[in-house]
Amino acid sequence: MDIELKEGERLDDLQCGGLKIIQNPRLFSFGIDAVLLANFARIKPGDIVADLGTGSGVIPLLLSCKTAASKIYGLEIQHEMADMAQRSVRLNDLESRVDIIEGDIRKAGDIIGMSLVDAVISNPPYRKAGSGHVSPSDARAIATYELECTLDDVIKAASTLLKNKGRFYMIQRPARLVDAICGMRKAGIEPKRLRMVQPFADKKPTMFLIESIKGAQPHMDIMPPLVIYDAKGIYTEEIYRIYGMEVPDSGG
């Protein structure tokens, strides 16, 4: 299907099943965090999935390629971002599996359905409002700072959407780890699996991936760290595999 691009938009190859995504760098373009989160989530065949704060729709698109989820919802409050995501879905003929909805995360239960979803995914704003320089672009500011919703709002929405024993997956900055764990436990979603993400093996983590389960008993596994680079500009083998890229030959 042909989709007309608007001013400032570009069409990028997701390198997954021939999927394409519409992006506008003026607003917000996805990064490695979205790719890592989509790979970290354990989605079962037939699952109903919701991505909270879907942005350009990259996570629903990747999950449509990588998993056998029966339905994937993407909820996004910003009109321009939701419109781009909806057009990307149509471009890839995924309307039967992926539904992008323009709406407020805080009303997710009313919009999608309470206790309906098997897995919730979110790459929420990393910074609290007022905690640093705010981008002059509204879209970038909303994606980066807690202007339209807080971390607790995202966690509460996930709990509302999830079935009992449903799974919640999130990526965040290490500075928010305690906030995330406390918020999840308060919302009845028990943290079960944690993986730190490091730029290099000898550097401290810059992100963490976490899986929690609604109604589960306390017990959390700490996974080995995920290291992004072996050297400057050279991914580790695991990152090449996550991206579906061939690992370069290191032989002489």
Side-chain angles (χ1 to χ4, degrees):
M1 178 183 293
D2 292 328
I3 297 289
E4 183 176 350
L5 298 180
K6 298 181 179 181
E7 183 179 355
E9 293 180 346
R10 71 185 189 213
L11 195 60
D12 293 333
D13 188 346
L14 282 176
Q15 299 183 7
C16 186
L19 295 178
K20 309 287 185 181
I21 187 170
I22 301 168
Q23 297 203 94
N24 187 335
R26 177 182 64 82
L27 299 175
F28 192 82
S29 297
F30 76 87
I32 192 173
D33 48 357
V35 178
L36 298 182
L37 181 57
N39 181 77
F40 181 74
R42 298 193 281 199
I43 306 302
K44 302 174 184 178
D47 271 356
I48 299 172
V49 182
D51 177 32
L52 301 181
T54 197
S56 61
V58 60
I59 288 177
L61 292 177
L62 288 173
L63 293 181
S64 75
C65 173
K66 293 175 175 289
T67 77
S70 63
K71 189 72 176 181
I72 307 167
Y73 295 98
L75 186 59
E76 173 57 46
I77 197 169
Q78 299 186 73
H79 173 72
E80 287 181 283
M81 298 296 288
D83 174 67
M84 275 198 304
Q86 288 163 351
R87 285 184 285 125
S88 289
V89 170
R90 293 197 298 273
L91 174 68
N92 292 288
D93 296 320
L94 288 170
E95 296 97 322
S96 64
R97 292 184 65 205
V98 180
D99 187 5
I100 304 296
I101 304 169
E102 183 178 340
D104 192 328
I105 284 173
R106 292 166 292 191
K107 299 178 181 178
D110 296 329
I111 295 170
I112 297 174
M114 298 182 183
S115 302
L116 174 74
V117 172
D118 298 290
V120 172
I121 297 176
S122 188
N123 182 2
Y126 288 146
R127 298 177 180 270
K128 293 183 178 181
S131 63
H133 174 70
V134 177
S135 167
S137 164
D138 285 345
R140 289 181 180 273
I142 290 170
T144 305
Y145 291 86
E146 294 180 337
L147 301 179
E148 293 290 347
C149 70
T150 65
L151 178 58
D152 275 347
D153 289 332
V154 173
I155 293 170
K156 290 174 184 176
S159 182
T160 299
L161 291 172
L162 285 171
K163 301 174 181 176
N164 189 45
K165 305 305 180 185
R167 307 169 307 282
F168 177 43
Y169 300 95
M170 185 175 69
I171 190 166
Q172 253 291 357
R173 299 291 190 193
R176 306 301 305 275
L177 178 58
V178 174
D179 294 336
I181 290 176
C182 290
M184 289 174 182
R185 180 163 281 180
K186 183 178 179 180
I189 316 174
E190 187 65 27
K192 302 297 290 182
R193 190 165 57 109
L194 176 68
R195 191 173 197 191
M196 292 296 184
V197 181
Q198 301 172 200
F200 296 93
D202 61 347
K203 299 296 182 181
K204 66 181 182 180
T206 54
M207 297 178 283
F208 68 85
L209 294 155
I210 192 166
E211 175 191 55
S212 54
I213 298 178
K214 185 175 180 179
Q217 295 298 311
H219 177 82
M220 184 167 69
D221 291 326
I222 309 298
M223 302 174 64
L226 173 57
V227 179
I228 297 176
Y229 296 104
D230 271 334
K232 187 176 180 180
I234 301 176
Y235 287 135
T236 59
E237 287 190 16
E238 184 171 7
I239 296 298
Y240 279 117
R241 290 197 300 270
I242 288 172
Y243 270 102
M245 300 165 62
E246 185 175 347
V247 179
D249 186 0
S250 58

